[in-house]
Amino acid sequence: NRVTCRDWFQLSLKEGFTVFRDAEFSADMNSRTVKRIEDVAYLRTHQFAEDAGPMAHPVRPDSFIEISNFYTLTVYEKGAEVVRMVRTLLGADGFRKGSDLYFERHDGQAVTTDDFIKAMEDANGVDLTQFKRWYNQAGTPRLEVSEAYDAAAQAYSLTFRQRCPQTPDRAEKLPFVIPVELGLLDAEGNDLPLQLAGEAQATGTTRVLSVTEAEQTFTFQGIVAKPLPSLLRGFSAPVKLSFPYDRDQLMFLMQHDSDGFNRWEAGQQLSVQVLQELIGQHRRGEALKLDQRLITALGTVLGNESLDPAMVAEMLSLPGEAYLTEISQVADVDAIHAAREFARQQIAEELFDALWARYQANREVSRNTAYVAAAEHFARRSLQNIALSYLMQSGKAQVLEATLEQFEHCDNMTERLTALAVLVNSPFEAERAKALETFAEHFKDNPLVMDQWFSVQAASTLPGGLARVKALMQHPAFTLKNPNKVRALIGAFAGQNLVNFHAADGSGYRFLADLVIELNALNPQIASRQLAPLTRWRKYDDARQVLMKGELERILASGALSSDVYEVVSKSLA
């Protein structure tokens, strides 16, 4: 707060820096790799969707009707990624020098993002003029990578092609500065020393390449056999990367990559390829058949006792339905849900014994250890809980018994809420109802915990989701006048429960539009925030597009709209 923003357009100057700082603190306190995975998964699911929608805007917006609409993931999360890229380009020491100069130079002043970048330039003797496009160009850049190997010359080349799709602010985009951290793996999975053409000797096994042109090629020398590239290590830039990995190469990277983030990323890419194959099978009306390589890969991870349990938990997590929607040209909600549930079912069946063993071992420690807010305990509980969520897919009595035991006898909210969520999504109606009643009775005087109770039920993908949400709106603990309650119930339903919200009859859309019209008079800011799922109407099939667009038009015609709601609806329809 000693250096503040000159005007609202500079909001990310403070907020992007703060989110970055918070992430670094959490990474130092716990697992750096797991923290990075969590942040990137959130960014790619939610901020990338914002960048691809009608409300896309630069990290430093050029204009706004209502500033409250710009407390966004782009300003905060993407803003943090921009700060992170500065550090990646300058190195930790260079970034610290720049930060020290920035605070020394501007203490007690109100400044701009240009002043922040200028301090980084002056402290390090570099020119970041082109880099500043990250602040004034909206959208998520696409980075396509191709390879070529010349065995005779022992030279391996990577060609990068960058482009950024049209966004509401502008059609044509100039090339960004994209820092690509990478390594090259040999046939045994070892990192190769990296020597670029023109260099006298190799420097390290991980390098940061600065991609600054629309198309740019880098050639490595002294490569005796064709390697496998490990690209964008640590997710060094907020871009959509594509490289033609096949499934065997992805399995190899999962097992051997020295970069923890990229081991997870290889697993995610493998999962996406397998899930997209299942989605295609569902759309064609074929019987679903899961590629066994995914089971093999996850079984290997599950059996690796030397891996951090938190890392195992992350690698077992399939890409979510929202992310699968985000990467689809046209999102088939029903096929995505069916494919992902089928994959979870198959994993649970084929890896049941391994999942059960890991669950039992971790739960045993939990039963005999008092709750401690420490990284190793977080890790143990995260693996225990994801194992339980898979195990319930089996519907076995022993899993129900274990879930009830965890729900009733755990000493922390993490385990209790997971057990409740597993029960809420299970076929065991009587046990589900009793657990919900018990939880509500116990925590009825704790509003924040009751928000979790609402969210768990709103996000349940079992049939009848909208009816459950409408019934919960009549609960004494719910009120439309409390933004937290609205986010917990309505937000969770529309944002997380895609298969129910996107019901083919449009009932979810009508429900949300009615709520937005009502909230417009009560709290315009929360009303505009709840609109986000409807603003992405172009992502879906023709029938759903018509229904979603119709609800936006109905909101627009509903009377005196606040500037908050009007800006979002009008831009969505433009």
Side-chain angles (χ1 to χ4, degrees):
N1 284 339
R2 295 188 69 116
V3 183
T4 194
C5 303
R6 188 192 69 185
D7 52 67
W8 285 116
F9 299 104
Q10 317 300 327
L11 192 57
S12 193
L13 178 74
K14 282 160 61 77
E15 305 304 359
F17 197 95
T18 297
V19 172
F20 168 74
R21 218 163 43 92
D22 166 63
E24 285 299 293
F25 174 79
S26 298
D28 284 342
M29 292 298 288
N30 302 296
S31 162
R32 177 161 288 273
T33 297
V34 169
K35 174 60 178 165
R36 190 64 183 141
I37 288 168
E38 290 170 354
D39 289 347
V40 172
Y42 185 77
L43 182 87
R44 292 202 297 207
T45 300
H46 301 291
Q47 193 280 321
F48 279 17
E50 185 171 278
D51 252 351
M55 290 299 289
H57 58 274
V59 171
R60 186 174 65 188
D62 295 323
S63 64
F64 53 79
I65 296 174
E66 181 52 64
I67 184 57
S68 61
N69 284 333
F70 286 89
Y71 284 84
T72 60
L73 296 169
T74 298
V75 165
Y76 283 71
E77 313 301 329
K78 188 175 182 178
E81 293 298 316
V82 174
V83 176
R84 182 179 295 277
M85 284 189 287
V86 174
R87 191 188 64 170
T88 300
L89 289 166
L90 300 180
D93 292 341
F95 181 77
R96 181 57 195 255
K97 275 165 52 184
S99 299
D100 288 347
L101 179 60
Y102 169 68
F103 289 116
E104 177 190 324
R105 183 181 280 176
H106 298 296
D107 191 11
Q109 298 177 16
V111 302
T112 70
T113 55
D114 289 332
D115 294 312
F116 175 72
I117 295 298
K118 186 74 168 68
M120 293 293 167
E121 289 178 324
D122 291 351
N124 291 278
V126 296
D127 182 353
L128 295 173
T129 304
Q130 183 183 347
F131 179 83
K132 289 196 289 187
R133 290 173 188 165
W134 281 104
Y135 282 109
N136 57 41
Q137 291 187 153
T140 306
R142 270 67 165 167
L143 192 61
E144 295 178 2
V145 189
S146 58
E147 63 179 352
Y149 180 63
D150 183 338
Q154 294 190 353
Y156 179 74
S157 297
L158 288 169
T159 298
F160 298 85
R161 296 175 185 85
Q162 63 162 301
R163 61 183 179 84
C164 190
Q166 179 177 343
T167 48
D169 60 318
R170 68 178 78 176
E172 296 300 319
K173 308 293 176 71
L174 296 169
F176 291 82
V177 175
I178 301 177
V180 179
E181 192 168 322
L182 56 75
L184 302 177
L185 277 64
D186 66 16
E188 280 72 52
N190 302 308
D191 279 320
L192 294 169
L194 301 179
Q195 179 181 357
L196 285 165
E199 292 180 341
Q201 60 188 38
T203 310
T205 56
T206 294
R207 297 281 294 270
V208 176
L209 304 181
S210 189
V211 178
T212 59
E213 300 167 21
E215 182 172 325
Q216 197 167 355
T217 299
F218 296 85
T219 300
F220 296 92
Q221 298 177 323
I223 307 295
V224 298
K226 186 180 178 182
L228 184 63
S230 168
L231 300 166
L232 213 65
R233 285 182 161 177
F235 201 66
S236 56
V239 301
K240 291 184 177 179
L241 177 82
S242 63
F243 180 87
Y245 292 115
D246 63 36
R247 294 180 195 182
D248 291 327
Q249 288 175 324
L250 291 170
M251 286 183 68
F252 186 84
L253 288 171
M254 277 181 79
Q255 294 170 309
H256 298 289
D257 202 320
S258 61
D259 183 77
F261 176 87
N262 270 14
R263 290 183 74 169
W264 171 80
E265 173 63 5
Q268 291 293 290
Q269 288 193 42
L270 176 63
S271 298
V272 164
Q273 287 190 19
V274 171
L275 288 166
Q276 286 179 330
E277 186 174 64
L278 290 173
I279 290 165
Q281 292 169 1
H282 185 275
R283 292 172 101 164
R284 293 188 297 272
E286 300 169 5
L288 300 189
K289 190 173 188 307
L290 188 74
D291 187 331
Q292 282 297 306
R293 282 175 289 193
L294 181 60
I295 301 284
T296 302
L298 295 181
T300 302
V301 168
L302 196 55
N304 188 342
E305 299 278 352
S306 67
L307 269 182
D308 174 9
M311 188 68 183
V312 176
E314 292 293 347
M315 294 187 78
L316 286 173
S317 302
L318 293 178
E321 291 180 28
Y323 180 64
L324 293 168
T325 296
E326 157 60 16
I327 61 175
S328 301
Q329 281 293 105
V330 177
D332 185 332
V333 180
D334 299 312
I336 287 171
H337 179 68
R340 192 173 182 279
E341 286 303 295
F342 177 78
R344 281 171 49 78
Q345 185 78 42
Q346 294 297 109
I347 292 164
E349 284 179 14
E350 299 200 38
L351 299 178
F352 184 89
D353 291 342
L355 287 162
W356 182 247
R358 291 300 291 259
Y359 174 77
Q360 291 285 74
N362 284 292
R363 180 68 190 127
E364 183 65 25
V365 176
S366 292
R367 270 194 294 267
N368 296 307
T369 309
Y371 177 84
V372 180
E376 63 186 280
H377 294 258
F378 300 155
R380 184 188 73 242
R381 285 190 287 271
S382 64
L383 177 54
Q384 169 189 318
N385 287 337
I386 193 165
L388 184 62
S389 71
Y390 272 115
L391 290 164
M392 185 55 91
Q393 296 280 323
S394 71
K396 291 184 178 179
Q398 70 199 85
V399 178
L400 174 61
E401 188 180 329
T403 307
L404 292 171
E405 185 279 326
Q406 176 169 318
F407 177 76
E408 290 161 8
H409 300 293
C410 63
D411 64 353
N412 63 86
M413 187 57 69
T414 305
E415 290 181 324
R416 181 167 284 116
L417 255 183
T418 296
L420 182 65
V422 166
L423 286 167
V424 163
N425 286 283
S426 79
F428 301 106
E429 288 185 37
E431 289 82 358
R432 178 199 319 157
K434 185 182 176 188
L436 285 167
E437 184 183 349
T438 302
F439 190 97
E441 179 58 32
H442 192 73
F443 294 107
K444 64 186 178 199
D445 296 324
N446 189 323
L448 293 178
V449 177
M450 287 302 289
D451 289 347
Q452 299 294 324
W453 183 79
F454 282 120
S455 290
V456 161
Q457 295 174 81
S460 170
T461 58
L462 293 179
L466 181 56
R468 284 193 298 276
V469 169
K470 287 180 175 177
L472 285 165
M473 288 178 70
Q474 307 308 312
H475 192 277
F478 182 82
T479 170
L480 271 181
K481 294 179 180 177
N482 183 317
N484 283 346
K485 302 297 175 208
V486 174
R487 279 189 284 264
L489 184 58
I490 316 302
F493 173 67
Q496 298 173 37
N497 194 343
L498 303 190
V499 72
N500 276 307
F501 173 67
H502 290 282
D505 63 0
S507 54
Y509 310 147
R510 283 193 299 279
F511 167 74
L512 186 60
D514 287 340
L515 259 293
V516 167
I517 290 168
E518 188 175 352
L519 282 167
N520 176 65
L522 293 172
N523 186 331
Q525 292 182 13
I526 196 73
S528 69
R529 297 272 197 286
Q530 295 309 303
L531 267 168
L534 286 176
T535 67
R536 292 167 195 149
W537 58 274
R538 290 177 179 84
K539 177 62 80 172
Y540 300 93
D541 58 81
D542 292 345
R544 285 184 170 89
Q545 282 195 25
V546 169
L547 293 168
M548 295 173 86
K549 188 181 178 190
E551 295 304 329
L552 287 167
E553 289 168 343
R554 183 163 70 87
I555 294 169
L556 194 62
S558 65
L561 290 183
S562 62
S563 55
D564 306 71
V565 173
Y566 174 78
E567 180 171 25
V568 176
V569 174
S570 60
K571 285 184 174 180
S572 300
L573 290 169

